[in-house]
Amino acid sequence: MLKQRIITAIILALVVVGTILGLETEYVAALFAVVLLISMQEYINLTISKSKPVQWLSGAVLVVLFYLALPHVGINYMAYLSYLGLMMWVFILLFMVRYQFSGKWSISTRILICFFSAILIWICIHGLVFIHQHYEQGGWILMYVLTLVWVADIGAYFSGKRFGKTKLAPGISPGKTREGVAGGLVLNGLWITIVYALSDGWGLDYLPFLFLGLVTAAISVVGDLYESILKREAGMKDSGKILPGHGGVLDRIDSVIAATPVYLSGLYLLGAV
């Protein structure tokens, strides 16, 4: 299993990093369109239908809409989407405080959750493409946003394993601890400082750059917990099986879905867009 995970991770890294840093935005958009397609298929599977034709057709429709909207992805468009995403994730965070497992969501609730989730992934994918296209060093900024999530995960894993005692959200994800999250943020603080020294913050002063990075890393945990709720209610361990050793696409990008609109909202508020 470990060997399989490593091989899959290497292949994914080569494809994602190579596309983002080596190719034009149109190819980056194509890559994320594939992510959008599979993610929507998995959301349908987790919520309202086990029918493969329904799942893939829903994903295909969303991809078509994505390409129709792509020419309109500009500063104003992304401002509205980013702030909407920020508000949605704040709402999810408040929902988690009161969440209790039921396993008996009605079909109307599942449809609403699916639609809600589709908006979240829509905002994320458009935000990632916007970053790559809008900034002169868009590829590197986009990679930085992704690494905020990856570093948080790595730090949380090792810190949680060594120091973890206090459960973060036992009713949602029993394996996560507050000590793990704290360790992820500490490691991110170091990583953010290194990136700032190498990039000069892409126009931001150090303290705003640090604060935005830490907030983005923190909200990424909420993205992970949100998907955990969907999987628990669906009685599933993973969102899918398309990535050997890793599960589904949502299992790999759940944190990014939350991090992207929050990071972009911060850039807008700091006047860096």
Side-chain angles (χ1 to χ4, degrees), residues 23-253:
L23 298 178
E24 299 296 327
T25 300
E26 60 190 276
Y27 297 101
V28 175
L31 172 64
F32 289 140
V34 174
V35 172
L36 183 62
L37 171 67
I38 301 173
S39 297
M40 193 60 208
Q41 177 265 320
E42 293 178 357
Y43 272 137
I44 295 290
N45 188 44
L46 286 171
T47 53
I48 61 178
S49 177
K50 299 299 181 183
S51 168
K52 293 298 181 182
V54 170
Q55 294 169 14
W56 289 108
L57 179 60
S58 300
V61 168
L62 200 61
V63 169
V64 170
L65 294 175
F66 165 71
Y67 272 107
L68 290 175
L70 206 54
H72 306 289
V73 176
I75 293 177
N76 292 334
Y77 177 86
M78 277 315 306
Y80 294 130
L81 282 189
S82 298
Y83 290 140
L84 173 61
L86 174 62
M87 290 187 291
M88 291 175 73
W89 283 107
V90 170
F91 173 80
I92 290 172
L93 179 59
L94 296 175
F95 165 74
M96 286 179 179
V97 174
R98 300 178 59 86
Y99 169 75
Q100 291 185 335
F101 173 74
S102 70
K104 298 178 180 179
W105 280 354
S106 66
I107 185 60
S108 58
T109 298
R110 291 180 178 277
I111 291 173
L112 179 62
I113 292 293
C114 186
F115 180 73
F116 191 86
S117 301
I119 296 175
L120 293 175
I121 187 67
W122 174 273
I123 293 172
C124 169
I125 296 301
H126 277 83
L128 295 174
V129 173
F130 174 78
I131 291 172
H132 191 275
Q133 183 179 47
H134 178 72
Y135 292 96
E136 184 177 349
Q137 299 185 53
W140 290 105
I141 298 175
L142 180 49
M143 284 305 308
Y144 167 66
V145 175
L146 297 180
T147 59
L148 288 175
V149 174
W150 299 341
V151 171
D153 285 344
I154 294 170
Y157 175 79
F158 287 105
S159 181
K161 204 166 185 180
R162 176 65 178 85
F163 304 106
K165 293 181 180 180
T166 310
K167 301 297 183 183
L168 176 66
I172 300 175
S173 182
K176 292 191 181 299
T177 63
R178 296 181 182 180
E179 293 83 1
V181 172
L185 292 178
V186 169
L187 186 60
N188 248 311
L190 177 61
W191 172 242
I192 292 166
T193 302
I194 292 172
V195 172
Y196 182 83
L198 295 174
S199 67
D200 199 26
W202 296 300
L204 292 177
D205 292 333
Y206 173 67
L207 287 181
F209 189 79
L210 175 66
F211 179 76
L212 178 56
L214 290 176
V215 170
T216 301
I219 202 69
S220 71
V221 178
V222 180
D224 190 4
L225 292 174
Y226 175 70
E227 198 213 341
S228 293
I229 289 177
L230 299 188
K231 290 190 291 187
R232 287 201 69 199
E233 293 291 343
M236 296 172 61
K237 181 179 182 295
D238 298 315
S239 65
K241 300 179 180 179
I242 199 168
L243 301 175
H246 290 262
V249 168
L250 287 176
D251 293 318
R252 298 277 60 82
I253 69 164

